Amino acid sequence: MPEKVTVLGAGTMGHGIAQLYAQAGYDVQMYDIKDEFLEKAIERISNNLDMMIQEQTITEEDKNVALQHISTSTDLKEAVSGTRFVTEAVSENLKIKFELFSQLEEIVDEDVIIASNTSTFSIKELSEGVKKNDRLIITHFFNPAHLVPLVEVVKGPETSQEIIDRTVDVLKAIGKKPVVLKKDIPGLIANRLQAALVREAFYLLDNDVAEAEDIDLAITAGPGFRWAFIGPLETSDFGGLDIWKSVVENLAPVLSKDEKIPPFVEEKVQSGNLGTKTGNGLFTYADHEEIQRRIRERDEYFIRLAKIKEQ
Ligand SMILES: NC(=O)C1=CN([C@@H]2O[C@H](COP(=O)(O)OP(=O)(O)OC[C@H]3O[C@@H](n4cnc5c(N)ncnc54)[C@H](O)[C@@H]3O)[C@@H](O)[C@H]2O)C=CC1
Ligand SMILES: O=C(O)[C@@H](O)C(=O)[C@H](O)[C@@H](O)CO
């Protein structure tokens, strides 16, 4: 009998996380507040699986079997019935997360793991909203969750070793690469590194150092080309720590230290130009079809890269 798991929040991240469980043979229950969000999530999962068939990483039969493992509900009690592992992927809003945790703890068994996909809240902050903290953990997936291998795992001061071990086992069972942090820190590893880089990219764009396309190309054709296989610390060994001493110490004084995004980015956020989810952001997209094409292209690249990395 397949193990039952639940994903709370069927949006950008939740649908991909649910897909991973379904493809691994778990019975996954997706929960959201509106049927239309759940219907959209199923459509996104179906499209994802179609692309994997196109890229010959799964068969049509695999897709059908995976979809049969997914159920949806707007009723929380129904969605967590029999569940052993709950992944929370609702909006990055502590009040919303806490309200959900409170409802959840009333209806699940005490040994059911509650794993948050939060991007920015520390486990300490999250633990303020959970009564039984030894079953709370952070499992931070990356967008798109069904394709990016990394999941950062953060335990709290009360998280039991048994919960950590069960979480790592589940993540490996669904094909992910879990990294268990030794310490709880805001932004964990990858978002701290990403935020430092994105802040500098905003700074370069704000100071008209290069066009947005060229700033991105400087990464995808440069460090990003290497990072798929060699991380920043190994890169510094390859380059020579003496050289990297100079690089860090010579550049640290001139790197952006902004604690706010530049006004031109703030203006975009305030005017609702948020990127692909609104049709305009730092780049302009002709229409919905172009956005869907770009997302398909992105995912095709990621699937092909994953094949190379698995060799
Ligand atoms: N978008 C991204 O690139 C990444 C996001 N995350 C984190 O994952 C979480 C989810 O983010 P996204 O999927 O991007 O958000 P989203 O906005 O795409 O999806 C959130 C979903 O939660 C649902 N929701 C809101 N309140 C709810 C409630 N009370 N009960 C049930 N469902 C509820 C919404 O209807 C929506 O479908 C956030 O904590 C975010 O920080 C983590 C990694 C990457
Ligand atoms: O890049 C990702 O997918 C994750 O590191 C995140 O949490 C991002 O910060 C995300 O929340 C914004 O795209």
Side-chain angles (χ1 to χ4, degrees):
M1 179 74 171
E3 187 170 340
K4 283 191 174 184
V5 299
T6 302
V7 176
L8 308 176
T12 303
M13 297 303 288
H15 87 275
I17 296 169
Q19 177 185 326
L20 288 163
Y21 281 113
Q23 286 187 264
Y26 288 82
D27 279 340
V28 53
Q29 301 159 103
M30 253 190 321
Y31 166 74
D32 210 303
I33 48 181
K34 289 185 179 177
D35 282 322
E36 68 183 272
F37 297 160
L38 291 164
E39 288 155 15
K40 181 169 169 49
I42 293 293
E43 183 188 345
R44 292 171 90 167
I45 291 171
S46 181
N47 291 337
N48 293 343
L49 293 169
D50 284 342
M51 176 171 297
M52 296 177 83
I53 292 168
Q54 168 199 299
E55 296 299 316
Q56 299 178 334
T57 54
I58 65 169
T59 65
E60 190 74 42
E61 177 58 15
D62 295 330
K63 171 185 175 182
N64 296 334
V65 170
L67 290 173
Q68 286 162 14
H69 279 290
I70 302 173
S71 60
T72 63
S73 178
T74 56
D75 177 294
L76 184 60
K77 198 163 185 174
E78 181 183 28
V80 298
S81 166
T83 199
R84 303 296 307 133
F85 195 102
V86 178
T87 300
E88 172 274 305
V90 301
S91 316
E92 189 70 345
N93 174 305
L94 219 44
K95 184 171 181 296
I96 291 176
K97 292 185 189 296
F98 282 4
E99 280 168 3
L100 201 50
F101 291 157
S102 170
Q103 296 169 51
L104 202 51
E105 288 202 286
E106 293 299 315
I107 51 181
V108 294
D109 294 341
E110 289 202 342
D111 65 344
V112 168
I113 294 175
I114 299 177
S116 175
N117 189 52
T118 181
S119 290
T120 61
F121 298 121
S122 68
I123 190 92
K124 184 174 181 301
E125 287 171 304
L126 290 178
S127 66
E128 300 297 314
V130 171
K131 293 192 187 86
K132 199 173 181 302
N133 278 312
D134 64 346
R135 46 97 164 271
L136 177 66
I137 200 161
I138 289 175
T139 53
H140 180 225
F141 289 76
F142 285 72
N143 185 13
H146 65 292
L147 294 177
V148 180
L150 176 63
V151 179
E152 293 173 308
V153 179
V154 186
K155 57 190 184 294
E158 295 176 50
T159 309
S160 65
Q161 190 56 47
E162 189 256 340
I163 296 294
I164 297 162
D165 295 344
R166 272 176 59 196
T167 300
V168 169
D169 290 346
V170 166
L171 292 172
K172 287 179 177 173
I174 63 174
K176 307 312 280 184
K177 289 202 185 302
V179 168
V180 181
L181 275 69
K182 294 164 69 177
K183 281 185 182 174
D184 182 22
I185 188 169
L188 311 186
I189 300 170
N191 265 351
R192 290 178 76 91
L193 295 173
Q194 275 197 128
L197 186 79
V198 168
R199 173 169 70 173
E200 201 57 38
F202 284 159
Y203 174 84
L204 296 172
L205 192 56
D206 193 30
N207 286 276
D208 203 25
V209 172
E211 296 300 325
E213 293 82 354
D214 290 332
I215 292 169
D216 275 1
L217 183 60
I219 288 298
T220 58
F225 178 85
R226 296 191 299 222
W227 287 339
F229 296 91
I230 297 165
L233 297 179
E234 193 175 14
T235 296
S236 62
D237 257 10
F238 280 119
L241 293 180
D242 53 338
I243 305 300
W244 276 94
K245 167 182 162 55
S246 303
V247 168
V248 171
E249 291 177 353
N250 294 350
L251 292 184
V254 296
L255 292 178
S256 169
K257 296 171 187 60
D258 297 344
E259 294 191 4
K260 295 280 184 192
I261 55 175
F264 83 97
V265 181
E266 180 62 42
E267 191 283 319
K268 286 187 178 291
V269 172
Q270 295 310 322
S271 58
N273 291 308
L274 306 179
T276 54
K277 61 183 170 182
T278 58
N280 264 305
L282 295 176
F283 299 95
T284 301
Y285 307 90
D287 50 29
H288 181 68
E289 284 63 37
E290 184 187 349
I291 290 171
Q292 292 312 306
R293 183 186 61 74
R294 280 294 293 126
I295 291 173
R296 278 196 306 276
E297 198 174 67
R298 176 201 70 180
D299 291 357
E300 284 167 358
Y301 289 146
F302 289 173
I303 291 170
R304 293 168 192 170
L305 176 60
K307 282 182 185 173
I308 294 169
K309 286 178 70 102
E310 282 155 15
Q311 284 171 0

